[in-house]
Amino acid sequence: MSAHTFEPVRSDTCTPSRAARELSFLRGEFDLAVQLGHVRTVPDEGGGGGRLVERAEIDRLRAQDGFPDTLRDRVRVVGTTDGAELMDISAGRFTRLARLGLLVPAKVYVNRYGAVVWLYLTEELKHFAAVTENTHLLKGRTPETLRGQLAEGVDLRARNWRMRQLGCLLRQAEDPWARAGALAALLPPVEVADVVEDPYERAWVNRLRPALPGQTLAGTSFAHVAERITTAQDADEIEWLRSDLAQSVEEARALSPAPRPAVRRTRPTTRPTARPIPPLAHTVTAPAEPVPMPVPVNPVEPTDKSTAGRAEPTTRVAESLMRAVEPRRIPGGCAPERRHVPRVRPAPAPVPRFPGTGPTPSRSTRRLRAWMRREVPRPTEV
């Protein structure tokens, strides 16, 4: 069977989409109900990596009184304007209470204009307005200590939302490694690398790191906004998450070490012993012996008179060529005029021949020698 083949869903469980339909939920309402713990889920053991809902859990929720209205009222959320109207206060006072951390948002999203929209549970808003100790916060002047915090720019909405998400992730964690992944989901990667130094343990923690709802905007123009919401920003929050992460990793390491690649034992390779290079052959390195050359046999040496008589025509031809290319100077100071004269290659000196020393020259050779003896006429001056 292929390694990528998953087991089918068990008959006693169903997928989140089917569970949402059977519970009369919209998909967003179902996800929020799971985060708040109103709907219990189990991990998908078939290898899908998601969550499933048992059939017994669906039957339990459907058997409650007032189903499905009472269940949907628990996950109904409103924005700032509707929440202020529900609590009978102004929208500005509602925002100030949320920034001070007195009202905890349950959902958040970034609209198409890049604005962050916070949503609050109506059940929690009604409960906050019904408590007598909160009356001075809803009516009259805001206390001086709270106004000082607002002047300093305190805004705890994102931090409270992260803590709500962390609580949901820790409830779903099955072992210390999963808890470490939930804590790492709220920390920057550099902080996780500083706490979990072992590369294999860090890779295992990142694999178990769940994706928060706002992190789906990665790669869009609002990714930086989503990162600021889903990642811890305050120093005390980061330090608290770091300490919990280190403790979870230590517990997980003692319980079950992180998976590591199997060590492959290979036989040691034996390198061949180096051998000296043999010297070159003697025939190559030895100096070459001189080979005697045959002495040419010339029974008759030519005399100087015969050689001079033979070379005289060649000298006259060379002198005539030099007179033919001699430049003439034109009157008036102009540059000397050069006339085109065909180039004549000087003939080689004749080789003296004697009777009986060689073959008789052919007819073509006698014509060439006669042409060489002719004098080239001197060009006529204009």
Side-chain angles (χ1 to χ4, degrees):
M1 181 180 295
S2 174
H4 298 283
T5 303
F6 302 122
E7 298 179 0
V9 180
R10 298 180 303 175
S11 59
D12 58 341
T13 59
C14 57
T15 60
S17 57
R18 182 177 179 82
R21 290 195 302 268
E22 295 193 12
L23 295 175
S24 301
F25 273 138
L26 299 176
R27 185 53 191 269
E29 294 176 343
F30 177 81
D31 293 339
L32 183 58
V34 172
Q35 294 176 12
L36 298 176
H38 298 321
V39 179
R40 295 190 294 265
T41 60
V42 294
D44 185 5
E45 298 178 355
R51 310 284 297 184
L52 299 176
V53 183
E54 293 182 343
R55 178 62 59 179
E57 178 68 11
I58 296 177
D59 296 340
R60 182 186 68 84
L61 295 174
R62 292 175 63 92
Q64 294 179 356
D65 296 338
F67 177 85
D69 295 336
T70 55
L71 185 59
R72 298 190 64 180
D73 289 341
R74 298 178 186 176
V75 295
R76 183 171 288 112
V77 292
V78 292
T80 301
T81 304
D82 296 339
E85 184 178 354
L86 181 64
M87 298 178 64
D88 195 15
I89 58 177
S90 63
R93 183 181 289 270
F94 184 92
T95 303
R96 290 193 295 270
L97 293 177
R99 291 180 56 187
L100 291 170
L102 301 176
L103 303 177
V104 181
K107 293 183 66 176
V108 61
Y109 69 92
V110 181
N111 60 12
R112 59 181 179 177
Y113 303 107
V116 181
V117 180
W118 301 98
L119 300 177
Y120 306 84
L121 292 171
T122 57
E123 188 178 20
E124 293 182 356
L125 297 181
K126 292 178 181 179
H127 177 73
F128 185 86
V131 177
T132 308
E133 288 79 4
N134 298 332
T135 304
H136 68 286
L137 298 175
L138 303 177
K139 304 295 181 180
R141 187 177 178 84
T142 305
E144 184 66 26
T145 55
L146 299 181
R147 284 189 286 128
Q149 295 179 11
L150 293 173
E152 294 176 359
V154 173
D155 191 351
L156 301 177
R157 289 176 292 184
R159 180 170 180 172
N160 289 337
W161 177 83
R162 288 193 294 268
M163 293 300 102
R164 188 189 288 271
Q165 297 296 319
L166 179 61
C168 171
L169 297 177
L170 291 178
R171 284 194 301 269
Q172 296 179 356
E174 301 292 338
D175 54 4
W177 284 117
R179 289 196 296 270
L183 293 168
L186 303 179
L187 283 172
V190 64
E191 299 291 344
V192 177
D194 190 21
V195 175
V196 188
E197 298 181 356
D198 188 87
Y200 299 105
E201 293 180 350
R202 184 166 61 252
W204 187 242
V205 169
N206 290 331
R207 182 178 180 180
L208 300 176
R209 179 176 182 168
L212 297 177
Q215 294 177 347
T216 56
L217 296 176
T220 64
S221 57
F222 307 133
H224 65 284
V225 180
E227 183 180 0
R228 188 174 65 251
I229 295 173
T230 59
T231 307
Q233 303 293 330
D234 301 332
D236 57 339
E237 180 185 7
I238 294 176
E239 188 62 28
W240 175 70
L241 292 173
R242 282 172 56 96
S243 61
D244 281 8
L245 176 60
Q247 182 179 359
S248 298
V249 171
E250 185 176 357
E251 295 176 358
R253 188 186 300 116
L255 182 63
S256 59
R260 299 174 181 271
V263 180
R264 298 180 59 184
R265 297 182 178 180
T266 58
R267 297 180 179 179
T269 57
T270 58
R271 299 180 61 182
T273 306
R275 299 179 179 179
I277 301 176
L280 297 179
H282 180 71
T283 56
V284 177
T285 56
E289 299 179 357
V291 180
M293 299 297 294
V295 179
V297 179
N298 192 358
V300 180
E301 294 291 338
T303 60
D304 295 341
K305 294 182 179 181
S306 61
T307 305
R310 300 284 184 175
E312 182 178 357
T314 306
T315 306
R316 290 200 301 267
V317 171
E319 292 178 356
S320 62
L321 289 176
M322 295 176 59
R323 289 194 301 269
V325 299
E326 182 180 1
R328 295 186 300 108
R329 186 174 300 276
I330 300 175
C334 299
E337 180 184 2
R338 294 182 179 270
R339 299 182 60 183
H340 175 72
V341 179
R343 299 180 60 181
V344 179
R345 177 177 297 179
V351 180
R353 296 183 180 275
F354 300 93
T357 59
T360 305
S362 62
R363 184 176 182 182
S364 58
T365 306
R366 291 197 301 270
R367 289 182 179 181
L368 177 61
R369 295 174 60 184
W371 177 82
M372 290 174 56
R373 291 192 182 93
R374 290 185 305 174
E375 295 183 1
V376 179
R378 184 175 181 178
T380 308
E381 296 183 0
V382 180

